[in-house]
Amino acid sequence: HKDPYGDIWLGTWGNGVIRYSHNVFRQYNKSNGMSDDVISCISSDRQGNTWFGTFSAGLIFFYGDQFTALRVADGLPDNNVRAITQDANGDMWFATMNGIAKYDGIEIKTWNQKNGLSYNRIGALVTDGKKIYAGTLSGEINVIENGKVTVYTPPAVLGMSEIISMLYTRDGSVWIGTV
């Protein structure tokens, strides 16, 4: 992932993150600030923070030289974070294994099966700025717009199972990756 400052961040499965900045590699892990060494996703917001989704310790955001964590205790639906995106209002959205969270910088609002999602295990998340598109690990696409969830179930002939990646393109297309 390339952040707004031009630094390259590499998430690893067991060794934290590696930052490449000004021709220098630096590793961050549990021994020097990270709360988890398994990184599942990385994104940056428009304010310059770099966000890391972890496998078991929630979210970590980095600004300057400081790491700050958001976890279930802070309102996340789960500490296994699979995707991160930012909407046009600047709110951060997170896909977890127990629903979706929206963080406005002050509080966290969540969506799950109790309030409209088709399935709690979210594998991917993208936005067009206004709508949030969430792919589930059971193959549905949940779209959140103005707080309301609409569920789309692709035809069985497509054979879509676990949605693990999504990409929103400038022409308004949403590309979906499955396993």
Side-chain angles (χ1 to χ4, degrees):
H1 170 79
K2 187 174 185 179
D3 73 17
Y5 306 106
D7 294 348
I8 304 293
W9 292 89
L10 307 167
T12 72
W13 195 262
N15 291 308
V17 293
I18 298 165
R19 179 184 190 188
Y20 180 70
S21 179
H22 306 289
N23 297 318
V24 175
F25 289 94
R26 179 160 182 210
Q27 183 177 22
Y28 299 92
N29 54 35
K30 282 182 165 180
S31 69
N32 61 358
M34 298 293 286
S35 54
D36 197 346
D37 287 337
V38 179
I39 308 302
S40 52
C41 55
I42 305 172
S43 187
S44 293
D45 62 29
R46 291 188 290 281
Q47 292 75 34
N49 298 305
T50 299
W51 296 79
F52 306 94
T54 72
F55 187 74
S56 63
L59 283 156
I60 303 162
F61 65 96
F62 179 83
Y63 186 76
D65 280 324
Q66 184 173 346
F67 292 96
T68 304
L70 287 175
R71 297 185 179 105
V72 168
D74 302 305
L76 282 182
D78 194 79
N79 281 328
N80 185 333
V81 179
R82 295 297 181 98
I84 304 166
T85 194
Q86 184 177 36
D87 67 20
N89 294 327
D91 296 333
M92 298 301 295
W93 292 77
F94 313 110
T96 79
M97 289 294 98
N98 195 30
I100 298 170
K102 177 178 104 171
Y103 179 59
D104 64 6
I106 298 169
E107 65 182 359
I108 297 173
K109 177 176 171 62
T110 62
W111 283 262
N112 56 39
Q113 285 178 270
K114 292 178 183 173
N115 59 0
L117 291 184
S118 63
Y119 193 58
N120 284 339
R121 296 171 62 88
I122 309 298
L125 193 72
V126 294
T127 185
D128 64 3
K130 295 180 182 178
K131 296 177 188 171
I132 301 299
Y133 300 86
T136 71
L137 294 185
S138 60
E140 298 93 14
I141 300 152
N142 291 252
V143 179
I144 301 174
E145 184 175 18
N146 298 320
K148 183 181 178 230
V149 179
T150 305
V151 177
Y152 297 94
T153 303
V157 69
L158 294 179
M160 290 179 57
S161 55
E162 297 183 13
I163 298 174
I164 59 165
S165 65
M166 298 176 85
L167 173 70
Y168 181 85
T169 59
R170 291 182 190 164
D171 68 359
S173 299
V174 176
W175 292 82
I176 298 168
T178 67
V179 292

